[in-house]
């Protein structure tokens, strides 16, 4: 009779117990509060989306869902925090193309791996940005802004509170053949505050953050960044319509868990996000900002992220942005 060493038997028993426990854990999941980490500050488009989903998820899962803003450092702080969290489904990340598609091309070295350190849950939605100026700005149209930039190379400055808004500005100057100066901020709400205060000439900001300022009369929109106009601002042309042919920039929201989170828990989370996306609150919010619901599978998000990383790399190189 052959006998296996006791430590081998213990190891096999532990492994079998782990495998058997995963479906049971998924059935019981979630059984305690979930934290939704956001890489930008309060008031940002990602923060608004996270709070919207936090309520919908909490109602569906019957547990509290807490939004934890860890802004700054281009999303590094939040990404590192989630990457190092326990892979049990209770610490998640609501993020954008900034941390998971653009940063790897904007920085020579990241303190996290946007692929290996995360388990995709699902793509949530896509949207576009608005090119904003103050109501009293001398630039009444995009043509006015670009004409001024051509007359005074390097003198027109633009703010940016995310990689998306930064790349949108650089792509504009590259495609319009002008030279402008970027003023970076930790988040778009901070940048908007300084734009209203006259610290710089213009900026691109995501529609959820920008629309209240435009509708409240604190800022004026010169153009929308994507291929079609915002339904909520039908009189505002796209950048392409305003004279920069071929210009098209958008952003997306997605949910991730730490790498190593059990597949059964990921599947349960995807189901919860799908149910949250179907709520009237989420659909109404997206309609107000002309966002497009895009919920898919974890595998679909992984494929989408790979394609987006390639696209953002091409855009960043075309805009002449050197990695920091």
């Amino acid at each position: 009779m052959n006998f296996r060493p006791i430590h081998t038997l213990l190891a096999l028993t532990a492994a079998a117990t782990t495998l058997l426990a995963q479906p049971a854990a998924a059935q019981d999941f979630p059984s305690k509060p979930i934290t939704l980490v956001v890489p930008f500050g309060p008031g940002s488009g990602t923060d608004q989306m996270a709070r919207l989903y936090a309520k919908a998820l909490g109602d569906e899962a019957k547990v509290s869902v807490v939004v934890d803003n860890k802004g700054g450092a281009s999303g590094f702080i939040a990404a590192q925090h989630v990457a190092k969290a326990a892979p049990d489904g209770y610490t998640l990340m609501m993020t954008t193309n900034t941390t998971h598609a653009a940063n790897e091309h904007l920085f020579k070295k990241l303190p996290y791996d946007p692929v290996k350190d995360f388990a995709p849950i699902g793509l949530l939605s896509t949207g576009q940005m608005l090119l904003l100026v103050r109501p009293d700005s001398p630039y009444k149209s995009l043509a006015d802004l670009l004409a001024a930039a051509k007359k005074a190379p390097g003198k027109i400055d633009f703010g940016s509170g995310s990689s998306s808004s930064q790349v949108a500005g650089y792509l504009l100057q590259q495609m319009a053949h002008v030279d402008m100066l970027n003023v970076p901020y930790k988040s778009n709400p901070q940048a908007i505050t300084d734009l209203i205060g006259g610290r710089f000439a213009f900026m691109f900001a995501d529609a959820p953050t920008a629309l209240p300022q435009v509708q409240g009369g604190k800022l004026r929109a010169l153009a929308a960044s994507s291929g079609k106009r915002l339904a909520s601002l039908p009189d505002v042309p796209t950048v392409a319509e305003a004279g920069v042919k071929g210009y098209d920039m958008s952003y997306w929201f997605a949910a991730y868990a730490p790498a190593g989170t059990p597949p059964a828990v990921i599947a349960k989370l995807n189901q919860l996000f799908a149910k949250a996306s179907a709520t009237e609150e989420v659909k109404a919010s997206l309609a107000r900002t002309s966002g497009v619901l895009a919920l898919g599978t974890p595998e679909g998000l992984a494929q989408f992220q790979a394609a987006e990383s390639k696209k953002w790399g091409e855009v960043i190189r075309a805009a002449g942005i050197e990695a920091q």
Side-chain angles (χ1 to χ4, degrees), residues 74-199:
S74 296
F76 289 7
I77 298 170
Q80 285 180 282
H81 177 80
V82 175
K84 295 176 181 178
D88 55 11
Y90 290 100
T91 301
L92 311 177
M93 188 174 188
M94 171 80 79
T95 191
T96 71
N97 39 273
T98 288
T99 58
H100 280 65
N103 276 354
E104 60 186 298
H105 305 289
L106 292 170
F107 298 92
K108 293 178 181 178
K109 187 175 181 180
L110 293 182
Y112 67 94
D113 189 308
V115 176
K116 295 179 180 179
D117 288 344
F118 298 89
I121 296 171
L123 178 67
L124 301 176
S125 65
T126 61
Q128 60 174 304
M129 292 170 278
L130 289 170
L131 195 165
L132 306 168
V133 297
R134 296 184 305 281
D136 61 349
S137 170
Y139 314 123
K140 305 303 180 185
S141 66
L142 179 59
D144 290 344
L145 175 62
L146 295 178
K150 289 179 180 179
K151 289 181 180 178
K155 300 298 183 181
I156 304 295
D157 47 9
F158 68 94
S160 62
S162 69
S163 294
S164 298
S165 60
Q166 180 189 44
V167 173
Y170 276 122
L171 184 62
L172 176 66
Q173 74 170 4
Q174 189 269 337
M175 294 185 70
H177 307 292
V178 294
D179 180 20
M180 298 183 286
L181 178 67
N182 178 229
V183 184
Y185 286 80
K186 290 183 178 181
S187 68
N188 279 334
Q190 290 179 329
I192 281 177
T193 297
D194 275 7
L195 174 59
I196 293 172
R199 297 289 182 89

